[in-house]
Amino acid sequence: MAILSSLPGVTFFWLAFAINFLLLYLQLFYVSESKRPNTATLAYRFAVLFGFSGAFTYCLVSLLGLVVGRYLQSRSSSRRDKILSWVRSNARNGYLEDLEDGSQRLKQSSKPAQGNAWNGIVGFFHPFCNAGGGGERVLWAAIKSTQEAYPNSICVVYTGDHDASKTVILESVKTRFNIELDSTRLFFLYLSYRRFVLASTWPHFTLLGQSLGSLILAVDAFSLLVPDVFIDTMGYAYGLALTKCFFPDVPIGAYVHYPTISTDMLGSLDSEGEQGVNAGSGKGLKGSFKKQYWRLFAASYGWVGGHVDVVMTNSSWTQAHIQTLWGASRTRREKTSEIEVLYPPVAVDELEKAIAVTSEGESKRENILLYIAQFRPEKNHAMILRAFAKMLHNEANTSDIVKTARLILIGSVRDSGDEKKVYELRLLAHELKIKEQVEFVCDASWPDILTWLGKSSVGVNGMWNEHFGIGVVEYQAAGLISVVNNSGGPKEDIVVDYDDEPTGFHASTPAEYSEAFVKALTLSPEDKVSMRLRARASAQRFGEQEFSDDWIEQLKKLIQLRSQPPQAEFFDWSIYGIGAAYLSFICYEIWGTLQ
């Protein structure tokens, strides 16, 4: 409805408000009491006045959004022109590439492809692109797929990683994920206000604060460059709604790893145990206030989610929650694209080639429990340490396999907060008297991870309501027996029966984990191999090619939306006609009152 965000729309509702106000004033103070309208008519007139004042405010805000959007486009147009000129020039002449030793070399750019001719700019909003986690694997795999399907396009990543240059980031992507990208058509724009989306910036009302911070960060991004297609791959839905306010013609997509708020999170406030970092915090007056705050936040989260044109989720669990939260709002805004599940890409084929699963190979595996996850509070490393200690200290577990088991914790360390978390976990391992059998591996390279996957026996996942669990799929593809949390994606999508036989174990409490560890470690060699092979076969659903094919299908929808002309002209002219008729009718009533 273009009229709602145009100068004629603002003018119409202002005139409607002014004329209705004049009519109400005349009916209250000008005519005699005997001819004054009845109470119902006056109440109706007040309601109409209130409605037009609200519509005027909404239209004015929408118009201001367009004005700000036009300003941001103008401000960033020179950078856009430079990027396009740089790409065209380097396609002809090549460019100087920075090397690790500080020198440079001339590198030829790949020639523009003759197949798919779309040459727009795709913006990827990922402020923590160098974090090295599963979300980053999705980002780089999506960019690689985009470059392969649309080789004339340009990809731009909005990031706040000022400490990493383009060369460093791409080298990290190659080392950590074994993904090589065309650097000649990939650009990094560095955000200045990433601190506003950090939880540490908002010690109170964190969800609301980070969401408001994402609005600041979105403005920061668009002041650098306004893309032709905008995709958020981190979960900042409020920034996407602001995008539609500034740029109605820019299609927006969202790859949702985890809903910012969910019904499960609300339920966890009244629960006890291991159900997230807020478990049991809904008691008392403070807890009641928190519940209401979360419910209001969930309502606003649903509203902003309705502005997204194409929605992708990483699991059926996430899809169900996003459908519940965003579905009604998307329906009201006539978003026709279904909320699709795109399982994150996992190097299944590479793992199968690198690691053999055979009876003979069992001798190469050690009694190792492997947990691959970023060192963040929600990953619940502390519970895994307690479960491991419970297994080792249980006198009933007399098997040498159990007593000699080791726990390896592999994860990336993003900042000082993560470093502190690792330090606290080391202290906990010392307190539990298991430090000799626990090893921490920080920022491991992909070859190192392959080595650990090849010699470990059991893969562990400890997070409650893990949205998907790329690490769990890596366990399965590498032939590990998985012990995962009895919730979220690992339960519903990954560690499921294959050929009516189990592919791993589920657990919720330290006691259940301890028991599952013992079961996984003490299976007979034949049963271990059988379960490893079933898990590997099940993991075929999560390959990189499957993700690439599904990603391109969703990207096509966004590109088509960019190419389609506006369809609202007839509707807008109808609104103008009805509005003119209404104003004429009110003017007639004023004339009659004056008579």
Side-chain angles (χ1 to χ4, degrees):
M1 301 192 308
I3 186 175
L4 296 181
S5 55
S6 63
L7 185 59
V10 173
T11 304
F12 166 73
F13 285 112
W14 180 82
L15 281 174
F17 173 83
I19 293 174
N20 273 274
F21 179 82
L22 175 61
L23 177 59
L24 180 62
Y25 176 82
L26 292 174
Q27 290 176 337
L28 282 173
F29 304 108
Y30 182 77
V31 300
S32 61
E33 187 173 349
S34 60
K35 294 183 179 181
R36 189 171 298 167
N38 57 36
T39 303
T41 302
L42 291 175
Y44 161 76
R45 192 63 61 200
F46 271 109
V48 169
L49 197 65
F50 179 78
F52 276 122
S53 65
F56 166 71
T57 302
Y58 177 83
C59 289
L60 183 61
V61 171
S62 299
L63 180 60
L64 289 175
L66 291 181
V67 172
V68 173
R70 186 64 60 86
Y71 166 75
L72 292 173
Q73 281 183 317
S74 174
R75 178 176 175 176
S76 64
S77 61
S78 60
R79 177 176 282 107
R80 182 188 181 95
D81 292 340
K82 288 179 181 178
I83 289 175
L84 294 175
S85 175
W86 190 92
V87 170
R88 286 193 294 266
S89 173
N90 291 330
R92 294 191 302 267
N93 307 319
Y95 70 104
L96 290 175
E97 179 185 40
D98 294 327
L99 301 179
E100 292 184 357
D101 60 3
S103 61
Q104 294 181 319
R105 69 178 178 186
L106 184 66
K107 184 175 180 179
Q108 294 296 323
S109 300
S110 56
K111 295 182 178 180
Q114 301 300 317
N116 200 317
W118 190 76
N119 59 355
I121 297 177
V122 182
F124 291 87
F125 191 65
H126 205 106
F128 298 88
C129 76
N130 202 36
E136 287 66 57
R137 177 184 280 276
V138 170
L139 168 68
W140 305 123
I143 291 176
K144 182 176 178 63
S145 299
T146 302
Q147 290 183 333
E148 290 176 349
Y150 296 93
N152 296 324
S153 67
I154 298 171
C155 294
V156 170
V157 178
Y158 301 93
T159 179
D161 294 308
H162 288 265
D163 57 340
S165 66
K166 177 179 179 178
T167 303
V168 171
I169 293 175
L170 293 183
E171 184 62 31
S172 175
V173 172
K174 183 178 179 181
T175 302
R176 176 65 180 86
F177 303 117
N178 198 29
I179 295 176
E180 292 193 55
L181 301 170
D182 179 3
S183 60
T184 65
R185 292 182 174 272
L186 175 60
F187 296 84
F188 292 86
L189 300 180
Y190 290 88
L191 304 167
S192 301
Y193 301 100
R194 191 177 72 174
R195 64 184 182 276
F196 287 109
V197 297
L198 295 174
S200 58
T201 305
W202 312 93
H204 306 290
F205 299 98
T206 306
L207 288 177
L208 179 61
Q210 286 181 299
S211 298
L212 295 177
S214 70
L215 300 179
I216 299 173
L217 207 58
V219 175
D220 187 10
F222 296 132
S223 68
L224 298 173
L225 179 72
V226 178
D228 298 305
V229 172
F230 187 68
I231 303 175
D232 168 45
T233 50
M234 277 206 74
Y236 296 114
Y238 285 76
L240 293 177
L242 190 65
T243 305
K244 276 299 180 187
C245 179
F246 289 164
F247 317 106
D249 59 335
V250 174
I252 56 177
Y255 188 95
V256 185
H257 296 274
Y258 196 84
T260 306
I261 187 85
S262 69
T263 53
D264 286 355
M265 288 175 63
L266 289 168
S268 73
L269 294 176
D270 294 322
S271 68
E272 299 289 348
E274 307 293 340
Q275 293 191 2
V277 295
N278 290 286
S281 61
K283 298 178 181 179
L285 181 62
K286 182 179 179 181
S288 298
F289 177 79
K290 187 168 189 174
K291 288 180 188 177
Q292 295 305 318
Y293 158 54
W294 276 18
R295 290 191 180 104
L296 289 173
F297 182 83
S300 68
Y301 183 63
W303 180 80
V304 298
H307 293 79
V308 184
D309 295 307
V310 174
V311 182
M312 300 159 275
T313 63
N314 64 347
S315 69
S316 57
W317 181 90
T318 307
Q319 180 194 44
H321 281 277
I322 290 297
Q323 182 62 49
T324 300
L325 292 163
W326 292 5
S329 182
R330 285 175 53 78
T331 300
R332 286 194 296 270
R333 288 177 175 78
E334 299 180 350
K335 301 296 183 183
T336 58
S337 176
E338 296 290 334
I339 298 175
E340 301 285 354
V341 176
L342 268 69
Y343 291 124
V346 184
V348 174
D349 293 336
E350 181 182 355
L351 286 165
E352 288 191 3
K353 293 176 182 177
I355 302 171
V357 177
T358 61
S359 299
E360 295 76 18
E362 281 299 302
S363 60
K364 297 180 181 179
R365 293 190 184 271
E366 303 174 25
N367 300 327
I368 292 176
L369 305 173
L370 181 66
Y371 188 11
I372 301 176
Q374 289 178 312
F375 290 107
R376 304 203 308 260
E378 64 270 21
K379 296 300 183 179
N380 226 343
H381 289 86
M383 183 187 69
I384 299 303
L385 286 171
R386 292 188 178 95
F388 184 63
K390 189 177 185 67
M391 180 191 75
L392 292 180
H393 299 328
N394 188 345
E395 295 181 358
N397 297 328
T398 59
S399 170
D400 288 340
I401 294 177
V402 174
K403 291 300 183 182
T404 60
R406 297 160 57 205
L407 175 62
I408 309 298
L409 304 174
I410 297 179
S412 58
V413 176
R414 302 167 300 173
D415 49 34
S416 59
D418 289 353
E419 290 176 354
K420 180 182 178 182
K421 182 66 179 175
V422 174
Y423 176 73
E424 292 172 347
L425 291 172
R426 291 182 188 275
L427 287 180
L428 179 59
H430 179 76
E431 293 171 5
L432 294 171
K433 299 179 181 179
I434 58 174
K435 67 173 185 176
E436 300 300 329
Q437 291 174 258
V438 176
E439 183 176 345
F440 292 83
V441 181
C442 300
D443 297 320
S445 65
W446 179 244
D448 289 339
I449 291 174
L450 278 178
T451 300
W452 283 111
L453 287 169
K455 64 182 181 180
S456 299
S457 181
V458 178
V460 183
N461 161 270
M463 180 176 171
W464 175 72
N465 268 349
E466 175 86 78
H467 36 86
F468 179 67
I470 287 180
V472 179
V473 179
E474 290 176 343
Y475 299 155
Q476 290 191 328
L480 275 68
I481 297 172
S482 300
V483 177
V484 302
N485 197 276
N486 192 29
S487 65
K491 174 189 176 182
E492 297 181 12
D493 290 318
I494 306 174
V495 185
V496 297
D497 287 355
Y498 185 83
D499 287 342
D500 297 325
E501 294 288 340
T503 58
F505 300 91
H506 302 135
S508 298
T509 65
E512 291 177 1
Y513 271 97
S514 176
E515 183 180 348
F517 291 161
V518 173
K519 289 180 180 178
L521 288 169
T522 57
L523 286 172
S524 68
E526 294 78 13
D527 288 340
K528 282 183 179 179
V529 172
S530 297
M531 187 173 287
R532 298 189 201 284
L533 290 173
R534 288 196 300 272
R536 169 168 283 187
S538 179
Q540 285 293 331
R541 298 169 290 147
F542 310 114
E544 293 170 311
Q545 188 58 51
E546 286 75 8
F547 171 84
S548 179
D549 294 341
D550 292 340
W551 174 266
I552 296 306
E553 285 300 315
Q554 303 306 311
L555 183 59
K556 283 180 181 177
K557 297 178 184 179
L558 291 169
I559 292 174
Q560 288 172 357
L561 287 173
R562 181 67 182 182
S563 305
Q564 289 175 353
Q567 300 294 322
E569 292 186 5
F570 175 77
F571 180 82
D572 288 345
W573 280 112
S574 301
I575 293 293
Y576 282 126
I578 295 172
Y582 177 80
L583 291 181
S584 299
F585 172 72
I586 295 299
C587 290
Y588 174 78
E589 281 201 68
I590 292 175
W591 180 80
T593 301
L594 292 174
Q595 292 300 312

